[in-house]
Amino acid sequence: MVAETAHLERAREHLRHASDAGGRSIQNQVDSIQAGLAEELEGHRTQDEPGPKIDRVAELIEKLDGLETEASGEASDRIRRAKSACVDFQKERGRDQAG
């Protein structure tokens, strides 16, 4: 689980940088996505089933995909990296559930 959440922590870091690099509209959307990611990472405190949910992370990936096309420059690059880290989480979680 620690290795899996490392992917999401990496995504959060990229989103912090994207928020700093983006304009106000991008910042607001990135901040909203960061809040969803934080909720998944910290959900073990409030949810019956611990750990990030793969379907919720899939929703975040979808949002990041749309936002990546709206952003430009470094913000777009950081959003792409955050999305990639979330995809890595999904792949690792899928391997863990299959094994």
Side-chain angles (χ1 to χ4, degrees), residues 41-80:
L41 282 166
E42 297 164 7
H44 67 278
R45 296 181 189 151
T46 59
Q47 299 170 0
D48 294 335
E49 210 175 301
K53 310 295 181 287
I54 200 160
D55 58 332
R56 180 68 178 119
V57 173
E59 290 174 16
L60 294 173
I61 290 169
E62 210 173 293
K63 289 179 182 180
L64 289 169
D65 195 39
L67 187 57
E68 181 184 1
T69 61
E70 287 182 43
S72 62
E74 184 181 352
S76 178
D77 182 55
R78 289 296 187 151
I79 292 166
R80 181 186 50 74

Side-chain angles (χ1 to χ4, degrees), residues 24-48:
R24 175 64 63 197
S25 153
I26 297 296
Q27 285 176 341
N28 289 340
Q29 292 179 69
V30 167
D31 292 348
S32 173
I33 293 170
Q34 277 184 296
L37 197 50
E39 189 176 298
E40 285 306 304
L41 282 166
E42 297 164 7
H44 67 278
R45 296 181 189 151
T46 59
Q47 299 170 0
D48 294 335

